Amino acid sequence: MGLKEIPLQFSIDSEEDIRVMVISFFTELGFDRDEISCEDYFSIHLGHQEIEVNRKNIGGRSDILVSRNGQPLAIVETKTPSHKIEDDDAWQAISYARLLSAIAPFAIVTNGGETKVYDVLASKLTPIDN
């Protein structure tokens, strides 16, 4: 079942509502709660130097990181239900997935009604049919 098939039994008004829905979806797929984390911050390594990425200087954080067997699987960026998913949203998720020490191979962007999955390792924006 995809996110599009989840019945709307409550009012979905915010990005946080979408986040709760996505976490429930992955839990129902069999992911343990400790394989799903929210609002992770990243560090960038340039040579020997580590640059912290946080709200104060760049604001980079993922909405959801899904892992399996200790390895990142996907970064999920959630948007409000009224937000039309655009390429910039995909690039946001892809950039976060690429910042992980072990790159997450998938980036997912969803507003609850529309969900797009992308190949993080592709040289151009490459949606995967879902």
Side-chain angles (χ1 to χ4, degrees):
M1 172 182 357
L3 288 176
K4 297 176 206 169
E5 288 84 37
I6 294 176
L8 299 178
Q9 298 175 351
F10 59 95
S11 176
I12 299 174
D13 300 318
S14 69
E15 185 175 335
E16 184 62 29
D17 292 338
I18 301 299
R19 190 174 306 162
V20 169
M21 212 170 70
V22 169
I23 291 168
S24 295
F25 176 73
F26 279 105
T27 301
E28 287 181 22
L29 287 177
F31 286 85
D32 292 332
R33 188 57 188 96
D34 64 347
E35 294 179 305
I36 304 166
S37 62
C38 297
E39 298 190 5
D40 290 308
Y41 293 94
F42 302 100
S43 62
I44 299 171
H45 291 269
L46 297 174
H48 294 289
Q49 298 200 353
E50 183 175 305
I51 301 169
E52 289 295 319
V53 177
N54 59 42
R55 292 178 196 227
K56 290 183 181 176
N57 55 8
I58 296 180
R61 66 167 176 79
S62 66
D63 289 329
I64 300 170
L65 168 62
V66 180
S67 299
R68 181 58 87 169
N69 299 321
Q71 295 296 312
L73 179 63
I75 289 288
V76 182
E77 280 302 309
T78 57
K79 302 299 178 186
T80 62
S82 61
H83 181 90
K84 181 181 179 327
I85 296 174
E86 298 185 3
D87 287 353
D88 283 348
D89 303 317
W91 284 118
Q92 176 188 11
I94 289 168
S95 70
Y96 293 159
R98 289 177 176 172
L99 285 176
L100 298 168
S101 57
I103 295 174
F106 302 103
I108 302 168
V109 182
T110 186
N111 62 12
E114 180 180 15
T115 301
K116 294 185 178 185
V117 180
Y118 298 90
D119 178 349
V120 168
L121 302 175
S123 60
K124 61 182 182 175
L125 194 60
T126 307
I128 298 170
D129 291 334
N130 48 350

